[in-house]
Amino acid sequence: YVIVGAGSAGCALANRLSEDPTIKVCLVEAGKKDNALMVRMPAGVGNLIKAEGAYNWGFWTEPQKHMNGRKLWWPRGKGWGGSSSINGMIYIRGHARDYDQWAQMGLRGWSFADVLPYFRKSEGYEGGDSAYHGASGPLKVSESPLSSPIYRAFLQAGEQAGYASTKDFNGAEQEGFGRYQRTIHKGERWSASYGYLRPIVGVRDNLTVISTGLVTRILMEKGRATGVEVVEGKGRLAQEIHASSEVIVCAGAVQSPQLLQLSGIGNPDHLGRFDIKTEVKSPNVGQNLQDHLDLTVIHEMTQPISAYSMQKGLKKIGVGLQYLMNQTGAGADNHLQAGAFLKSREGLEMPDLQLHFVNAIMMDHAKHQANKDGYTVHACQLRPESRGTVCLASSDPFQHPAIDPNYLEAEEDRRAMREAVKMLRDLCSQNALRPFTGAEMMPGESVKTDEDIDAFIRRTGETIYHPIGTVAMGAGDDAPVDGELRVRGVEGLRVVDASVIPTLIGGNTNAPTIMIGEKAADHILGRTPLRSDAPSFAPDDWQNSQRVSAPERSV
């Protein structure tokens, strides 16, 4: 097996396939090994996401029609662990109904009862084994300690605003305010690389890992994928790696469709513009792009307890030294320990908004630093109706593709985001947060009317790093891949990553991507899929509950 990409799904897949010593696996990654201190140290996340570099592809979108023509920054992970090596380390699976809806779309084997065993198999949860959690998996998951009073005030403010609280976003009830579970273990980022890849490299003779090798094309012969073409740097000679079993593309929601298109799998009209011969007619490759658009409400803080005061001046040296000595202190924290899942209007079956509370001023992907204490409340719409594309911009595999998320095309998306601003402002006005809350920096006092709010969202909205859907699985022949992630129209080729997700789930996408890698291994090896009898989220329970979804409020 040749696996393209050592990201979240690729690492999981390489581990599970190579468990059988009779199977040979070659894992090809365009980036390098994840050795840098900023990758290991949770507080280093801000340095990793803000600029293109050794661990960040640094994509930009096309000008966004509904966001003032802005090009938006799209960081994506490069190197061992992929985006799990640069993300915010939040462990969220999404809502159970997300997966049940996949099954209702005809994707047998993808209901919540089908995927829960793979979440549990992947998870090494510090709270122990239960119906919803696994304790012995490779991916270490820990509870946020709520180490600052500002997090507890945030949770209390949610209750004062009329919302529920939940003990476990990944348990029986997602809706409400609560602490996040994180992929942090003993003060270190626990990426897919550290969970799945590093423990077996150099131990299993049947696994070969090639770093800094960009796969430029899938080799095909007589309707079958036979290998890949790899180039270790622009201008270098291409080499071929052949697969006697399968080629498995795990390059992510941006580069998996790009690689398929470069290999002649896509829309013939689009491929023809770049003089690429069509090998497989698959018009929906690169379509169906979905992402969580994020907005922020930011306040100055009246007490010196944010990440800024923890690390300002000479304290920064102390933070670094403490972390190097024993992996504790401010360096061991992502400063994002609490959040919420809420409904923007009555009548919704599931929460459609997610909040991330950051104990710092977080603007524009940490590109701009504010030299003061503050806190940031992020909100993203969980199931946008807008759909975008990832298409070739060049036949040169070293050139980035054209990414068009088409944010805010749908009126429902604009409504939900507008309501989110009002909900966050109401939240920040609650008594529990008043001892900490100073002036509103964003949106600012001048933003008052619905029109003002809409303009603010168009001006400042950004990705919160959850693109999916560009090589979506589906039951119909028009879907690029089937329910076992096999690419239609060619044998010996699968796609296994976030690009196969058909509809965006209600939460962060890293844990679901790892789950897909785990589940794909059973499909590939012909093993009987796991299944759970654990209870799911029950719609009747939500309707009968006393939680308030969207309290009445004024701007």
Side-chain angles (χ1 to χ4, degrees), residues 85-344:
S85 290
I86 70 168
N87 68 2
M89 294 155 282
I90 300 299
Y91 181 83
I92 289 288
R93 299 169 179 173
H95 201 284
R97 283 290 294 149
D98 292 322
Y99 303 101
D100 289 344
Q101 288 177 353
W102 294 2
Q104 290 170 0
M105 294 163 57
L107 289 165
R108 295 182 61 186
W110 289 95
S111 71
F112 182 66
D114 294 308
V115 302
L116 178 59
Y118 293 99
F119 280 119
R120 294 183 68 249
K121 182 179 181 181
S122 69
E123 186 184 18
Y125 175 53
E126 69 172 10
D129 191 74
S130 69
Y132 289 99
H133 289 282
S136 57
L139 187 68
K140 301 293 186 182
V141 176
S142 60
E143 293 283 352
S144 294
L146 302 181
S147 56
S148 169
I150 189 68
Y151 296 118
R152 294 187 286 276
F154 169 76
L155 299 181
Q156 187 178 358
E159 294 182 10
Q160 292 173 349
Y163 300 105
S165 59
T166 181
K167 294 181 179 179
D168 184 355
F169 290 135
N170 297 302
E173 292 288 350
Q174 185 194 56
E175 187 177 356
F177 280 69
R179 71 177 73 201
Y180 274 123
Q181 291 157 12
R182 307 181 296 179
T183 50
I184 297 175
H185 180 60
K186 295 182 178 179
E188 291 191 303
R189 171 191 293 274
W190 205 259
S191 65
S193 165
Y194 268 70
Y196 286 93
L197 189 56
R198 282 175 169 265
I200 62 173
V201 170
V203 177
R204 297 180 185 173
D205 294 336
N206 58 333
L207 172 66
T208 300
V209 180
I210 297 175
S211 298
T212 66
L214 181 71
V215 174
T216 57
R217 184 166 60 97
I218 300 165
L219 304 175
M220 285 183 277
E221 186 176 329
K222 297 180 180 180
R224 182 176 184 83
T226 59
V228 297
E229 183 179 83
V230 182
V231 178
E232 295 190 49
K234 192 172 179 64
R236 302 283 296 273
L237 290 175
Q239 301 180 22
E240 293 184 354
I241 301 174
H242 293 275
S244 58
S245 291
E246 292 187 13
V247 174
I248 308 165
V249 178
C250 304
V254 173
Q255 287 155 302
S256 283
Q258 180 189 23
L259 178 58
L260 293 184
Q261 291 167 347
L262 288 169
S263 306
I265 303 172
N267 188 322
D269 293 337
H270 178 63
L271 300 181
R273 294 178 207 154
F274 301 96
D275 296 321
I276 296 173
K277 178 186 174 183
T278 299
E279 299 288 346
V280 177
K281 182 180 178 182
S282 188
N284 286 323
V285 169
Q287 303 297 303
N288 193 49
L289 174 62
Q290 300 157 58
D291 184 37
H292 288 149
L293 182 66
D294 183 66
L295 61 84
T296 55
V297 169
I298 303 176
H299 279 271
E300 294 181 3
M301 195 185 294
T302 57
Q303 298 186 31
I305 58 172
S306 76
Y308 168 72
S309 281
M310 293 180 201
Q311 303 177 50
K312 70 177 181 180
L314 294 176
K315 289 182 181 179
K316 192 170 186 178
I317 298 174
V319 168
L321 289 174
Q322 181 178 355
Y323 187 80
L324 288 171
M325 288 193 311
N326 54 25
Q327 290 76 56
T328 61
D333 188 13
N334 64 350
H335 304 288
L336 199 175
Q337 297 186 23
F341 289 86
L342 309 175
K343 296 174 183 175
S344 68

Side-chain angles (χ1 to χ4, degrees), residues 34-56:
D34 50 343
N35 288 330
L37 174 63
M38 287 298 157
V39 173
R40 300 305 318 128
M41 182 172 66
V45 58
N47 291 282
L48 295 168
I49 64 172
K50 67 183 180 181
E52 181 179 354
Y55 301 102
N56 187 345

